[in-house]
Every structure is written in structure tokens, then in C-alpha cells.
Amino acid sequence: MKLQSLINIFAYIALSESSYLKLPIIKKRYDNSNIQSHFNEPHYIIKNENPFVKREHPDADFELHAKFNQLAYNVELEIGSNKDKVTLLIDTASSDMFVNDVNNLPCKQYEEEGGPSGDENDGSDSDSDSDSDSDSAIYLKKRDVSEKSSCGAISYPQFDYPAQQIPSDYDYYMNLTQNIADPSLCSTFGYFSSENSTTMNELETPFNITYGDDSSAIGTMITDNVYFNGIEISNFTFGLNTDGNRAGPVLGIGYKDNQNSYQNGYDQYSSFPYHLKDLGLINKVAYSFYAPYDSSSSNAQLTFGAYDKNGYLPESGLTKVPIIKYSSRNKRGLGPYYLSITLNSISITTQSNDYKSELIATGNAAAILDTGTTATVLPYYILNELLVKYNFKWSSQVSSYIISEKEIPKDKAFITFNFQNALIKVPIIDFTYPILDGETLSNTGLRSISITSFDNDYFLLGDDFLSNIYFIADLESNEISIGQVNPQKSSESLVIIENEINDAVQSSNWDQVYGYNGITNLKLKNTYTVDDLKTADNVTENIQLYVAGAGVDLGW
């Protein structure tokens, strides 16, 4: 009896292991692990550019640098008969995988000659892969060290000060530049030596994709064997970047209808999650995502074919909502194209309303879950309302809206997103970056808003949001099951996905999707026309953090 029980257990384990593929997610910020822990978070450094001028002098301006705000969900794999190691960005808004060939010309020229080759945008007619710019995208671009970073923009430390202008923290900066893996170099992520792989086959389909940041991957589609944690994924189709300038390879895990080759007139192929099912490694084209804000790389997971019952809070549960066929521009095919779901309302809790919930906007807006984006992008009128309601203040010195972290305690000040009655709470402080004193590198107690905005009516939800959600994307049933992430889970309870997500309850507002009753956006509860909209620019004072030439003054 005991022997038979053991045989049954081993058979169950073998069946389970063949029914899912778990990929550890590496959350990278390209920082120095030897620096204090708060430097491992995205943050701003503020510094007086010229401390020797008087306050009224026209050159008495200030700069804000965003440091290490370039978060990427990375996964490592091996490719070809030689098992070349490559690190890729996991991107739910892309549907193709590509890697850089060892002979990629822009990569070689950039590293050998110290600069980019040619125009960063090749001017091709290929569609951009995402509906908006992705500030976590990695590509070859030479930056002026004096360039002021806009809120949420990529900034990588590059310093070349004249001797007479070396700042007091120069040694600190130089130490960072010597220890951080440069995200503008292709070698940081690894190359694939295609000509040395005996299992590689080149296809006749061209690969030409331009991403939201104007970086490009240009080459051809190929097939080869790919290995994740020793598991062989044979005869897999992906792009080989031989002529594009994007430094960071991508693992796209989106829908077939959003494949670059399909949008350019070619047939669809079995991209990564579909190919896993073709090989029998998973039972359904579905995956779960777990990467809490404060999580280490050891427990962040992307799991194909299974989900973790401990990944979400029990009191939250899992709510199943439909994936909608949304795109902000015309695309070939019927869709869906992205992990797009319907946002019905936004509520907030603030200090000014005694941390009670206040509804600020309702409707039926499209929201895209995008692991390729670091900072969330909102419609401008929604961001303005948040800035006003939370009492952010404008600082022309750092060109950003700021707030004291005491006003937005993580356990009290929230934004609640309502996805067809699935409620996800995100602390407003998660949508900000701490501001550090550029002279002392100490925390000032101030935070700068990290959310950016655009004129569109849809929502692009990046890492700052995704760190607070657990979701299971079912690409076959066009459904997502979502719940509040459990950031402190100590164990794992995997459930193999056969047909349905058994633990998910269908939304009670299932029909109230994007376009229901003709509504395709969120409308502010107390504002009926744009003319009535209060903007943060005209309701807040201009906060001066520094007094030029008079030392450090970080008071309000």
C-alpha cells in the first residue's frame, strides 16, 4: 500500500511538472548592491547646478535627475546548440521574442566606437509595438550629461565634469558608474551566436519592429531550441536582431494578433505561450504573474500553465473579468491585442478626507496591464485630479510635483481601482519617487510624482501598479482573474490550469465593459467640462526647495 502511494505521488509530481513552466522574475534596477537599501529603489537626486550664484541670477536653476528608475522584469534563458545565455525583458504588451545577434552592427559600433550608428528610428513603416512610450525600454542612446530628466524618464549616470566643476559627491557617482551594468550596452544582456548554432534555421519572414521609445529590432525570424532552467523548448520561432539598435532583448507573451509579422501581412505563428501548449508543457495558453513591490528576485514568478493560491490575499479573492478587444489605433485582425481590461471607477483615500474613500471618477475605460512599462500613464485629467486631491505642490526647481511622505502614509493613503467590481488598492506612495539631497545623498522626506499623463482616455498600468496585483491571464478564454497581491507569502500552493480558473469568481458586473452604453472613458465625478477642471498648476504654490548660493535649504 505504501509503495503504491509513493508511486501515485511520484506520478502526480511528474504530471504536474509537465503541466507548467515557472520562470523566476529578476527585478532589475541596474543599481549597486553595495549601496544602502533605499538606493535600490527608484529615486530622484536634486542638486544646485551652480551654488555660487545669487538667487535672482538667471543661472540660479536646479536639476532633477531620476536615478535607477528603470525597472525591468527580466528572465534568463539559453539559446541554440551552444546554449548562449541571454537576459530578456518580459513584456505583456508585446507578442514576439527577439534576441541580439553577436554580429549586430549597431551594438558593435556603439561598444567599439563609443556612440550610436545612424538614426535611432530607421523610419520604417512597421507598427510601434506598444500604444505608448515605455519608460522601462532599453536602447542605444547617447545622453548629454547636462540633460535634465523629466519626471519618469530614463536617466543613466554618465559623468564627465571639467576638473573645476567636480561636485562633492563625484566619488559616489563614479563608484556607481563602475559597478552598474550599463543598460545601454547589448553585452549587458548577452548575445546569440546564430552562425555557431547547429540547430538554428532561418525563415523567410522578415522581423522589423519599432517600440514605443523609437528603439528598433530589425532582422529575420528564425527557429531554434530555447532552454529555461534546463527545460528544452524545441523548434521555437523568434526574431534575430541583426540591424536594430535596441540593446535589451524582449520576451513578448501577448496575443497572436499583435505579432509584428502578422501586423505586417504575414501569417501568425506559435509565439511563446502558444508554443508551450503545442509542446505539451502546459494544458492551456495561460500564465500567472507575481511580483510584489518589496519582493526580492527569489519569489517573483511568471508561471505558465498554473497559478498560486497563496499569491493573492484571501480576503481579496480572485475576480474573473473579460479581456477586451482594445487598441488605440487600427490593427489587423479581430483582437484582443493586449491584456486590456475595463476600469469602471477610481476612488481615493487622503489625509484631507480623514482617509475615507472618495469616488472621483466613473465610467468604462480601457486599461492595459503592461510589464514593459515602469511608471503608470494616466489620462491628463485623472492625473490632475490626483495631484489636487492629494495636495501635491509644484516645484519649478525640480520640474515636478512633490509632497511630504508624511502626508501619504503607505498604510492609509490609497488609490482604489475598480475593475468590474474587482478592487485593487495601490498606496499613492508607490506612485512616487523619494527625493534625495544631492549634497548629502540623504533622504529629504519629500516624494516626487512618478505617474505621467497623456491626452488619451485609456490607462497604461506599469510596474508601480502591477506590484500590487496578482493576475492570471487566460489567452484562450480571453479572461483575466485578478486579486490583491499577497506580498508576504511564505509558501506556494500551485494549481494546474486545465480549463477554468477554479478559484476565481466571475465579476458581478461582467457586461459593464469598455463601450457599454456607449461609454469609453472615465468621467470625473464633480467635473462636467474640461473648462471646469482644476489643474495642479493653478491651485498650488511654487515650492522652492533650495536657496541658490545660500547652502542647502529643503524646507517647505
Side-chain angles (χ1 to χ4, degrees), residues 23-26 72-75 88-93 249-253 289 302 304 370-373:
L23 306 183
I25 295 174
I26 305 168
Y73 293 116
N74 290 157
V75 64
L88 300 94
L89 171 74
I90 299 169
D91 193 355
T92 54
V250 169
L251 174 61
I253 55 174
F289 177 86
L302 176 68
F304 291 88
D370 185 2
T371 59
T373 292

Side-chain angles (χ1 to χ4, degrees), residues 48-220:
N48 189 344
E49 287 186 329
N50 191 345
F52 304 108
V53 299
K54 294 182 179 181
R55 183 173 186 176
E56 65 273 12
H57 193 281
D59 292 332
D61 57 353
F62 295 77
E63 63 180 344
L64 177 146
H65 285 308
K67 302 295 181 188
F68 321 126
N69 66 323
Q70 183 181 338
L71 181 139
Y73 293 116
N74 290 157
V75 64
E76 296 179 346
L77 59 84
E78 297 174 323
I79 306 177
S81 58
N82 293 324
K83 295 188 176 181
D84 297 330
K85 294 183 179 180
V86 179
T87 300
L88 300 94
L89 171 74
I90 299 169
D91 193 355
T92 54
S94 300
S95 299
D96 305 279
M97 174 180 133
F98 87 84
V99 296
N100 289 323
D101 187 74
V102 70
N103 293 316
N104 176 289
L105 185 59
C107 288
K108 293 174 70 68
Q109 288 185 340
Y110 189 88
E111 297 198 13
E112 293 174 2
E113 302 173 11
S117 60
D119 192 347
E120 293 175 36
N121 187 346
D122 68 344
S124 68
D125 293 330
S126 63
D127 287 338
S128 171
D129 187 66
S130 178
D131 277 21
S132 76
D133 289 344
S134 170
D135 66 341
S136 67
I138 300 163
Y139 61 104
L140 304 179
K141 183 175 182 181
K142 199 75 168 180
R143 291 189 178 275
D144 184 344
V145 296
S146 65
E147 177 184 4
K148 293 182 178 64
S149 299
S150 61
C151 180
I154 302 171
S155 180
Y156 182 76
Q158 299 181 31
F159 304 95
D160 186 21
Y161 293 101
Q164 68 273 18
Q165 295 182 16
I166 293 179
S168 59
D169 50 8
Y170 179 75
D171 290 339
Y172 162 77
Y173 287 136
M174 291 309 297
N175 179 51
L176 290 181
T177 60
Q178 293 168 6
N179 288 277
I180 300 171
D182 191 338
S184 66
L185 300 179
C186 300
S187 56
T188 296
F189 306 94
Y191 294 104
F192 173 44
S193 182
S194 59
E195 60 187 22
N196 293 327
S197 176
T198 59
T199 50
M200 191 276 285
N201 291 298
E202 184 172 349
L203 305 177
E204 296 181 355
T205 306
F207 184 71
N208 188 339
I209 187 167
T210 301
Y211 291 85
D213 57 14
D214 288 334
S215 64
S216 61
I218 304 170
T220 187

Side-chain angles (χ1 to χ4, degrees), residues 297-313:
S297 297
S298 60
N299 63 355
Q301 301 283 351
L302 176 68
T303 306
F304 291 88
Y307 65 95
D308 183 5
K309 294 184 67 171
N310 295 340
Y312 55 93
L313 295 177

Side-chain angles (χ1 to χ4, degrees), residues 244-538:
N245 64 354
R246 187 178 175 92
V250 169
L251 174 61
I253 55 174
Y255 277 97
K256 282 185 177 183
D257 270 9
N258 201 36
Q259 290 172 356
N260 171 256
S261 55
Y262 176 69
Q263 287 301 318
N264 287 329
Y266 295 88
D267 292 337
Q268 293 181 349
Y269 67 95
S270 287
S271 45
F272 190 76
Y274 298 91
H275 194 63
L276 293 181
K277 182 180 179 181
D278 291 344
L279 295 177
L281 294 174
I282 59 177
N283 298 319
K284 196 172 188 183
V285 184
Y287 53 83
S288 58
F289 177 86
Y290 176 84
Y293 186 84
D294 294 323
S295 69
S296 64
S297 297
S298 60
N299 63 355
Q301 301 283 351
L302 176 68
T303 306
F304 291 88
Y307 65 95
D308 183 5
K309 294 184 67 171
N310 295 340
Y312 55 93
L313 295 177
E315 58 269 29
S316 161
L318 286 175
T319 301
K320 186 185 302 179
V321 299
I323 297 175
I324 59 177
K325 299 178 180 181
Y326 174 81
S327 177
S328 63
R329 52 195 170 80
N330 292 331
K331 282 182 174 285
R332 182 188 182 197
L334 299 177
Y337 306 98
Y338 306 103
L339 299 188
S340 306
I341 56 180
T342 301
L343 179 62
N344 289 143
S345 69
I346 290 180
S347 302
I348 61 173
T349 57
T350 66
Q351 188 178 62
S352 61
N353 67 3
D354 297 324
Y355 300 114
K356 297 177 181 177
S357 180
E358 176 186 355
L359 183 66
I360 67 166
T362 60
N364 303 313
I368 299 176
L369 308 183
D370 185 2
T371 59
T373 292
T374 298
T376 284
V377 189
L378 304 181
Y380 75 93
Y381 48 89
I382 298 294
L383 176 57
N384 267 320
E385 190 75 355
L386 296 178
L387 293 172
V388 171
K389 291 289 188 180
Y390 282 100
N391 198 30
F392 278 84
K393 294 177 173 63
W394 173 255
S395 174
S396 60
Q397 291 178 322
V398 295
S399 299
S400 182
Y401 290 96
I402 59 176
I403 194 171
S404 169
E405 60 185 30
K406 294 180 181 179
E407 296 184 45
I408 49 173
K410 191 177 180 74
D411 60 341
K412 291 183 178 180
F414 294 94
I415 302 176
T416 301
F417 296 81
N418 180 351
F419 302 96
Q420 298 179 257
N421 278 356
L423 304 182
I424 301 297
K425 290 184 175 181
V426 181
I428 183 62
I429 201 169
D430 285 6
F431 288 119
T432 66
Y433 294 148
I435 297 177
L436 304 186
D437 182 349
E439 298 298 328
T440 64
L441 300 181
S442 60
N443 200 323
T444 65
L446 302 177
R447 311 283 299 199
S448 173
I449 192 72
S450 61
I451 302 172
T452 56
S453 64
F454 50 19
D455 292 334
N456 299 295
D457 288 323
Y458 73 94
F459 293 68
L460 190 69
L461 303 177
D463 163 65
D464 40 16
F465 173 86
L466 296 175
S467 294
N468 291 274
I469 188 175
Y470 183 79
F471 72 81
I472 309 160
D474 184 341
L475 303 191
E476 286 191 49
S477 299
N478 296 333
E479 299 170 347
I480 289 184
S481 299
I482 60 179
Q484 191 78 38
V485 75
N486 176 11
Q488 305 297 331
K489 77 181 184 78
S490 58
S491 61
E492 191 174 66
S493 179
L494 285 183
V495 178
I496 303 300
I497 301 173
E498 299 287 352
N499 294 304
E500 300 292 328
I501 310 302
N502 297 326
D503 293 289
V505 176
Q506 181 172 301
S507 165
S508 57
N509 285 351
W510 183 265
D511 294 330
Q512 294 185 23
V513 293
Y514 173 83
Y516 180 76
N517 283 341
I519 301 173
T520 58
N521 59 7
L522 292 190
K523 294 186 182 297
L524 295 175
K525 184 173 181 291
N526 297 318
T527 302
Y528 300 99
T529 69
V530 175
D531 293 336
D532 295 333
L533 179 66
K534 289 184 178 180
T535 66
D537 285 336
N538 59 36

